[in-house]
């Protein structure tokens, strides 16, 4: 992310760099939240949806269609929170993209250009995520098998060979390897464990180790389970069943079920949509400076349950206050130096992903630092810090009022 932002800043194409980095941020947060077994599917879903939403947000950013667009996206985010991590994270990323990109309204051409940069940044981050995912699955096993082969060449049948072979098998037990990968590693370990001096076999095994390809994306423990099921003579698998083991039609029915009036998911969607409409209306009517930070409160802090929403709103206010103060302190000390800001973006990007599923206050603090660098990279000496704090507090206040006043939400607790 910091590299994309740096390229845009150094070349003077700030808008392109910001758009590309926003796309990369969406994917990075997704990568930090989604299990590896659904990573590939979730990544491409997020790339497609955020690109489309970014395009629409630029076009309608200064029109009356912005509030309806935000309301629809907010409803989908709230209602689909229980649809699985891939869909839920894509909906949140789309909401954030719509809010940020609506700040830079433009023509059809400008919308295409900015959406293109957003997509490029997302694709770059997607490739990085998939490469890292492949390395995480295979890297340690590959090295352990390689060391076992090296010891087999030095001291055939020695204790070090068995020690490294055992370590490799233990790692294979927890790694998301495909059936083919596991079989190839096992064959190489069998060669290493064969007593006697077999240099030709060992050299051949070393070459084969370097050539073991990665499994098709998405194939891991769940993929092996489906493959085993398909090969079972006692089971006839419907061709409509996907790799997740469920029919595509069933998954679609589940999504539609979450959007049915009267369900708790539908109520959650309506609640978030109302919040977004009220917040966007207040921002437009009172011309609140940095008003999109009001809307970011709803997108990031509102949960399906009352207690979780209140706690998250409080964490959001504290996190934004800490993040803005830290950003402003760094800007003052460094006089807005580009290198320092890019280093701060790299650090805050890492820590944002680190705390995404951990401490909410730290997550919001580091996310605030990263977004502040992102949007102020062209003019870091700006008065926006105080305005962002005020806008965040306004958003939190609106959220708390709606949370307390929404009929039955507080009494329903976490089940709502």
């Amino acid at each position: 992310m910091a590299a994309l932002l740096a390229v845009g800043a150094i070349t003077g194409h700030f808008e392109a760099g910001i758009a590309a980095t926003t796309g990369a941020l969406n994917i990075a947060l997704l990568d930090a939240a989604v299990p590896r077994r659904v990573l590939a599917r979730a990544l491409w879903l997020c790339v497609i949806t955020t690109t489309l939403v970014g395009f629409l947000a630029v076009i309608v950013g200064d029109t009356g269609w912005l509030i309806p667009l935000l309301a629809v996206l907010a409803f989908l985010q709230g209602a689909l929170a229980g649809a699985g991590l891939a869909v839920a994270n894509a909906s949140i990323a789309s909401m954030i993209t719509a809010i940020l990109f609506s700040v830079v309204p433009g023509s059809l051409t400008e919308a295409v250009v900015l959406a293109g940069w957003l997509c490029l940044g997302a694709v770059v981050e997607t490739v990085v995520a998939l490469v890292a995912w492949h390395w995480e699955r295979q890297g340690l096993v590959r090295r352990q098998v390689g060391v076992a082969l090296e010891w087999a060449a030095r001291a055939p049948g020695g204790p070090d060979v068995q020690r490294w072979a055992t370590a490799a098998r233990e790692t294979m037990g927890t790694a998301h390897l495909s059936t083919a990968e596991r079989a190839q590693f096992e064959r190489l370990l069998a060669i290493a464990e064969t007593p006697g001096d077999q240099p030709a076999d060992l050299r051949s095994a070393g070459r084969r180790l370097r050539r073991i390809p990665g499994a098709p994306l998405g194939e891991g423990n769940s993929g092996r389970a489906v493959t085993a099921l398909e090969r079972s003579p006692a089971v006839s698998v419907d061709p409509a069943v996907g790799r997740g083991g469920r029919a595509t039609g069933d998954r679609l029915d589940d999504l539609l079920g979450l959007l049915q009036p009267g369900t708790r998911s539908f109520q959650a969607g309506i609640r978030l949509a109302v919040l977004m409409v009220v917040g966007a209306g207040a921002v437009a009517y009172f011309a609140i400076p940095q008003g999109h930070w009001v809307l970011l409160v709803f997108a990031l802090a509102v949960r399906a349950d009352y207690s979780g929403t209140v706690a998250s709103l409080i964490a959001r206010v504290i996190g934004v206050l800490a993040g803005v103060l830290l950003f402003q302190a760094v800007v003052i000390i460094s006089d807005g130096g580009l290198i320092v800001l890019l280093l701060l973006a790299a650090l805050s990007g890492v820590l944002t992903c680190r705390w995404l599923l951990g401490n909410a206050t730290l997550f919001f603090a580091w996310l605030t630092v990263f977004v502040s660098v992102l949007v102020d990279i062209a003019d870091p000496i700006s008065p926006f810090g105080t305005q962002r704090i005020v806008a965040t507090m306004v958003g939190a206040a609106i959220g708390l009022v709606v949370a307390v006043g929404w009929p039955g939400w507080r009494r329903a607790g976490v089940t709502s």
Side-chain angles (χ1 to χ4, degrees):
M1 293 185 292
L4 290 171
L5 186 59
V7 171
I10 293 172
T11 59
H13 296 86
F14 291 104
E15 281 195 352
I18 292 172
T21 307
T22 302
L25 175 63
N26 289 334
I27 299 300
L29 293 176
L30 181 65
D31 184 25
V34 174
R36 294 300 184 257
R37 59 187 172 81
V38 296
L39 180 62
R41 180 173 68 251
L43 288 172
W44 294 116
L45 176 63
C46 189
V47 170
I48 294 170
T49 56
T50 53
T51 299
L52 177 60
V53 166
F55 170 78
L56 293 175
V58 174
I59 291 180
V60 304
D62 58 353
T63 71
W65 289 102
L66 176 61
I67 292 181
L69 174 63
L70 294 178
V72 170
L73 293 174
F75 170 74
L76 292 175
Q77 177 186 333
L80 297 179
L85 287 173
V87 175
N89 279 274
S91 66
I92 295 174
S94 296
M95 187 76 255
I96 295 172
T97 299
I99 293 171
L100 293 178
F101 273 52
S102 65
V103 181
V104 285
S107 63
L108 179 63
T109 300
E110 291 169 324
V112 170
V113 171
L114 286 179
W117 284 112
L118 172 77
C119 183
L120 177 62
V123 169
V124 169
E125 188 68 26
T126 295
V127 172
V128 172
L130 292 177
V131 170
W133 173 62
H134 172 77
W135 181 86
E136 289 169 3
R137 286 191 313 113
Q138 249 198 28
L140 182 55
V141 178
R142 187 186 295 270
R143 288 197 301 275
Q144 290 171 331
V145 173
V147 174
L149 290 171
E150 290 177 5
W151 276 109
R154 298 175 188 174
D160 289 310
V161 176
Q162 192 58 50
R163 180 165 60 90
W164 282 99
T166 300
R169 289 194 173 94
E170 289 177 352
T171 304
M172 288 165 59
T174 57
H176 294 286
L177 299 178
S178 70
T179 304
E181 288 173 312
R182 186 180 297 274
Q184 292 187 73
F185 282 128
E186 282 289 357
R187 283 196 292 270
L188 296 179
L189 288 174
I191 293 174
E193 294 171 321
T194 301
D197 187 8
Q198 300 177 356
D201 288 343
L202 292 175
R203 285 195 297 269
S204 175
R207 290 192 295 270
R208 287 162 57 190
L209 176 64
R210 292 190 293 271
R211 292 197 301 266
I212 293 180
L217 296 180
E219 183 174 355
N221 290 334
S222 60
R224 292 198 300 276
V226 174
T227 301
L229 181 66
E230 291 172 347
R231 292 177 178 175
S232 173
V235 179
S236 175
V237 179
D238 190 326
V241 175
R243 296 197 63 81
R246 300 194 58 215
T248 303
D250 290 344
R251 293 197 297 270
L252 181 59
D253 289 342
D254 289 344
L255 291 178
L256 294 177
L258 294 172
L259 304 178
Q260 291 297 316
T263 60
R264 288 172 177 169
S265 57
F266 182 86
Q267 294 173 9
I270 292 294
R271 192 160 48 234
L272 187 54
V274 169
L275 266 172
M276 197 64 65
V277 170
V278 171
V283 169
Y285 184 79
F286 295 105
I288 300 175
Q290 294 290 296
H292 56 288
W293 284 69
V294 174
L295 308 183
L296 287 173
V297 171
F298 307 143
L300 290 167
V302 174
R303 304 288 186 260
D305 63 289
Y306 171 82
S307 58
T309 296
V310 173
S312 187
L313 288 172
I314 295 173
R316 173 71 179 169
V317 171
I318 297 173
V320 169
L321 175 61
V324 168
L325 291 177
L326 176 58
F327 172 71
Q328 293 297 332
V330 172
V331 168
I332 292 173
I333 294 173
S334 67
D335 197 27
L338 179 60
I339 300 300
V340 174
L341 291 179
L342 291 175
L343 291 174
L344 182 62
L347 174 64
S348 58
V350 171
L351 293 176
T352 296
C353 295
R354 163 64 180 85
W355 292 109
L356 173 61
L357 300 179
N359 187 292
T361 302
L362 290 176
F363 165 71
F364 286 132
W366 289 112
L367 179 63
T368 299
V369 173
F370 184 86
V371 174
S372 296
V373 177
L374 176 66
V375 298
D376 289 347
I377 191 72
D379 182 24
I381 310 296
S382 65
F384 295 148
T386 302
Q387 296 174 357
R388 287 167 185 159
I389 293 175
V390 172
T392 299
M393 296 182 68
V394 170
I398 295 174
L400 288 172
V401 169
V402 172
V404 172
W406 194 272
W409 192 17
R410 185 174 185 177
R411 291 192 301 274
V414 297
T415 61
S416 189

